[in-house]
Amino acid sequence: MTFTDTTVSVVIGGTSGIGAAVAKALAKRPGRVEIASRATGLDLADTAAVAAYFRRLGPIDHLIMTAGSAAPGGKVSDVDLDAAKAAFDIKFWGSVVVAREAARYMRAGGTITFTSGFLARRTVPGTFVKTAMNAALEATAKVMAKELAPLRVNVVSPGLTRTEAYAGMAGEARDAMFDRAAATLPAGRAGQPEDIAQGHLFAIDNPFVTGSVIDIEGGALIN
């Protein structure tokens, strides 16, 4: 897509991790990049606040949704359902609300790009909340791609990526996790935020891509 001095790109979740990498890449192009996240005070669970945010922005061209949530792990029989619902409120329903409100102000040729995760299509015990959230988001994006056409709607689905999302883990456990990825993934390493950001740029730039899920997961889905 052509970027000009009037192009407006919005990155929700753009203050850290994959979102920050996307925002940095877009900042090298003409136009303006708007960044919002919990760190900037935008609560994705507050529908009125999201609507007011896009109303203040006015016309936009590209929406990139990278904001995530801390999903509880555990078996279906054991998981904290309140925590699971809270995670859905941010990752799934937050994405839906953001896209719905942004679409009202999107100019012709605009794009919406969500971020899911490889667990949407990889069966791993104890991860049903992440699996359900990401699978629901991928399915909904395909419906949106038809409903919002000719706006284009896509999803980037990352694998294990070195971001601040794992900052709460003990250092040794975190290093061991990434070492296992390097030893077992066909790509021979875990992802970097910049790797995933390239998928978001591809979804924006290629005018023949819509309703697609772009896997960037180091071969996890074939492992």
Side-chain angles (χ1 to χ4, degrees):
M1 300 297 291
T2 301
F3 278 65
T4 71
D5 290 341
T6 62
T7 300
V8 179
S9 302
V10 181
V11 184
I12 305 297
T15 53
S16 63
I18 294 167
V22 174
K24 183 178 179 180
L26 289 172
K28 297 176 181 178
R29 301 182 175 195
R32 188 171 94 247
V33 180
E34 295 286 340
I35 296 172
S37 69
R38 280 170 291 190
T40 69
L42 182 62
D43 180 2
L44 299 186
D46 186 339
T47 301
V50 172
Y53 173 77
F54 284 102
R55 190 164 55 246
R56 288 194 300 272
L57 279 184
I60 65 174
D61 299 281
H62 305 292
L63 169 69
I64 301 91
M65 177 70 181
T66 65
S69 58
K75 295 180 180 179
V76 176
S77 57
D78 300 330
V79 78
D80 182 336
L81 290 181
D82 288 334
K85 291 174 182 178
F88 258 85
D89 283 343
I90 300 300
K91 180 68 180 276
F92 176 72
W93 288 113
S95 293
V96 171
V97 169
V98 164
R100 184 183 68 179
E101 297 305 322
R104 303 182 196 278
Y105 303 97
M106 197 158 280
R107 290 187 277 237
T111 68
I112 297 172
T113 310
F114 296 109
T115 308
S116 61
F118 79 108
L119 288 174
R121 281 161 289 122
R122 175 80 181 270
T123 302
V124 179
T127 66
F128 93 92
V129 179
K130 285 187 177 181
T131 292
M133 283 194 307
N134 288 316
L137 184 56
E138 291 180 3
T140 300
K142 290 180 179 291
V143 175
M144 285 187 180
K146 296 195 74 171
E147 292 182 349
L148 297 178
L151 297 179
R152 294 189 295 108
V153 182
N154 294 289
V155 186
V156 173
S157 180
L160 181 64
T161 307
R162 291 181 180 270
T163 70
E164 296 90 333
Y166 302 102
M169 292 179 65
E172 289 184 2
R174 184 172 61 248
D175 291 343
M177 177 179 67
F178 289 124
D179 288 343
R180 283 194 301 273
T184 59
L185 285 174
R189 66 176 178 87
Q192 297 290 342
E194 294 76 16
D195 299 327
I196 315 306
Q198 289 183 40
H200 293 83
L201 298 181
F202 171 78
I204 292 170
D205 290 340
N206 191 319
F208 203 50
V209 175
T210 192
S212 295
V213 177
I214 301 165
D215 292 314
I216 308 178
E217 30 66 271
L221 291 176
I222 61 171
N223 215 14

